[in-house]
Amino acid sequence: MPHPSEDDLALLALGEPSDDVGAHVGSCPSCARELRALRSTVDTARRADLTDLPLPPAAVWQRIADELGLEEPARARTATPARPGRPTPWRRPLLVGGAALLAAAASVVTVLAVRGPTAPPEVPLSALGGSDATGRVVLDARSVVVETDGLPEADGFYEVWLLDLGEGRMVALGALDDTGHGRLTVPAGVRLDDYPEVDVSLEPDDGDPAHSGDSVLRGPLPG
Amino acid sequence: MLRARRASDDTDLALAHAFAGGDETALREAYDRFGGLVHAFCVRSLPSRADAEEATAQVFVNAWRGRSGFDPARGSLGGWLLGIARRVVADICTAAARERALREALEQVRPVEEESTSPDQLVDRLLVADAMARLRPEQRQAVGLAFYDGLTHAQVASAMGLPLGTAKTHIRRGLAVLRRRLEVDGAAPE
Ligand SMILES: [Zn+2]
């Protein structure tokens, strides 16, 4: 028998028995391979939960827009009070996953977002490992805002961590952008009280998510 | 095998390019298009709904900030967003597991082993659901009857009032669309 039609192979994958097609597939490696691939799709599809995939509650989009300082679109928006300390103007994209060469520019003078009288306290970071970089950190609700100057250009990227050296625990928050700035949201489930310190490390682009051990700045997490 | 391109593929691709180009309205469109998919993944991966909502928001924040790392030529926006979702969820789970381990060590309780769906399986199943929702209506109906109600193609044809050959074709094409989606965006190896 010649190769069966794609239609017939699909039906066999769905479990409709056919002696002719079955016999051919038993002796034809290429059709057998095709059938296996189709069966795996059928298998996954049959386990799929075919309920709708509704959008999350509106508060989720609000959180995204707040975090990114997006201009509110006019549509479908009830008034929300402006929060102090926000928004930061748009800056350079954050290097998620450490994909890029980081060019931390010592010459770039950046300032933290304009903050009102109720601004949360700013805490300096100390240089480690012989670096003469400087840094500051502000805790704004669940965001850790880190501003640095003078981090040397290096292969890899600078990553921000919450640190509890006593317990040997740490949480990666994300990478600084190439101006040495980062506004990083603390992951859900992480209690800020558990982490007394903020750490900035130089991470090589090796795909290893663990801390490199090469800390360049560290300081207390503002309360 | 012939790969059928569909209009929704082109729409998704245009959206991917606008997103990569930094168009803020594309972020909202990406959220409207994929927010449900990402949220479903987070809801099914995390025990608390509050965590899932925070994770969903985090995925889009990370995606927007990291969009320079997204290349539409190398993968779809939906698949890329699900990759970010997996990392965000894994981070939350790691933190939660650490807390749990500490609590258990303090309380001397044995952890309960749970049988659960792997992230790969979950991603694939959600992708299928998303792809199903985008099939042409007659394909979706034919595929649904054949996949989930166990009808033969003859029964599908009679239920839908179609010629046998047309029912077969709907089923085969629907299956091909789902397969393609899993191959493009899916997590599990073949
Ligand atoms: Zn063959």
Side-chain angles (χ1 to χ4, degrees):
Chain A
M1 181 192 174
H3 296 306
S5 69
E6 290 183 11
D7 284 0
D8 285 338
L9 221 44
L11 294 179
L12 189 62
L14 279 159
E16 254 189 68
S18 154
D19 291 344
D20 288 355
V21 181
H24 171 90
V25 169
S27 61
C28 173
S30 97
C31 284
R33 202 163 43 239
E34 184 73 4
L35 181 65
R36 268 200 305 279
L38 290 173
R39 277 205 172 129
S40 132
T41 301
V42 169
D43 189 51
T44 300
R46 284 196 164 138
R47 292 165 195 272
D49 173 2
L50 288 190
T51 51
D52 288 346
L53 303 171
L55 280 179
V60 171
W61 172 255
Q62 190 59 55
R63 204 177 302 188
I64 295 166
D66 281 356
E67 181 67 26
L68 293 172
L70 299 183
E71 292 297 320
E72 293 298 330
R75 69 193 163 109
R77 184 69 52 212
T78 51
T80 46
R83 296 218 247 146
R86 285 168 185 272
T88 45
W90 179 243
R91 292 173 193 268
R92 305 290 300 276
L94 182 63
L95 308 175
V96 169
L101 178 84
L102 182 77
S107 59
V108 175
V109 179
T110 42
V111 287
L112 287 169
V114 178
R115 284 177 283 122
T118 58
E122 180 181 301
V123 171
L125 298 172
S126 316
L128 297 175
S131 139
D132 48 12
T134 58
R136 302 160 297 287
V137 58
V138 170
L139 185 63
D140 181 5
R142 297 279 292 177
S143 292
V144 172
V145 184
V146 175
E147 198 68 39
T148 66
D149 282 303
L151 284 175
E153 287 194 21
D155 282 339
F157 58 100
Y158 290 101
E159 176 131 42
V160 179
W161 307 76
L162 294 180
L163 210 57
D164 175 6
L165 287 177
E167 291 283 345
R169 292 187 295 196
M170 60 185 75
V171 180
L173 295 182
L176 295 179
D177 66 19
D178 56 9
T179 66
H181 168 87
R183 180 182 192 91
L184 305 157
T185 303
V186 177
V190 173
R191 287 197 306 249
L192 288 167
D193 292 348
D194 290 347
Y195 296 90
E197 289 187 297
V198 178
D199 179 89
V200 179
S201 69
L202 174 59
E203 297 292 327
D205 255 330
D206 57 3
D208 180 355
H211 194 292
S212 64
D214 187 3
S215 292
V216 290
L217 288 167
R218 192 176 296 165
L221 180 67
Chain B
M1 168 179 270
L2 263 180
R3 295 274 159 80
R5 278 198 70 77
R6 301 203 48 241
S8 69
D9 287 351
D10 294 333
T11 314
D12 282 354
L13 189 62
L15 174 57
H17 279 284
F19 187 95
D23 178 354
E24 273 189 10
T25 61
L27 172 58
R28 179 65 211 213
E29 275 177 51
Y31 179 81
D32 289 341
R33 167 69 183 86
F34 296 111
L37 185 62
V38 167
H39 191 54
F41 176 75
C42 295
V43 165
R44 286 161 179 74
S45 306
L46 294 167
S48 112
R49 196 153 274 271
D51 280 357
E53 289 175 10
E54 194 163 335
T56 301
Q58 191 64 50
V59 168
F60 284 90
V61 167
N62 288 359
W64 187 246
R65 290 186 174 149
R67 65 186 184 277
S68 63
F70 169 59
D71 179 359
R74 287 176 46 215
S76 76
L77 183 56
W80 187 68
L81 289 169
L82 281 171
I84 295 174
R86 296 181 61 173
R87 289 197 291 279
V88 167
V89 162
D91 285 350
I92 293 172
C93 290
T94 308
R98 240 188 250 120
E99 285 191 20
R100 202 164 52 237
L102 184 67
R103 216 169 42 237
E104 277 155 4
L106 293 174
E107 294 170 2
Q108 299 287 319
V109 211
R110 288 177 65 80
V112 184
E113 296 295 335
E114 291 172 15
E115 176 71 30
S116 66
T117 308
S118 78
D120 284 355
Q121 291 169 330
L122 186 53
V123 163
D124 284 353
R125 291 175 196 178
L126 290 170
L127 284 171
V128 166
D130 185 63
M132 277 288 281
R134 283 176 165 71
L135 290 178
R136 290 218 306 274
E138 66 279 9
Q139 274 179 7
R140 182 163 61 241
Q141 196 184 354
V143 164
L145 291 170
F147 278 45
Y148 304 104
D149 299 322
L151 270 55
T152 65
H153 76 282
Q155 290 168 323
V156 171
S158 116
M160 293 179 66
L162 295 172
L164 279 180
T166 311
K168 273 190 185 183
T169 304
H170 283 335
I171 292 168
R172 186 248 303 161
R173 288 195 180 146
L175 179 55
V177 169
L178 301 186
R179 176 185 177 186
R180 189 172 104 80
R181 187 71 193 280
L182 286 172
E183 285 174 355
V184 171
D185 289 336
E190 296 230 344

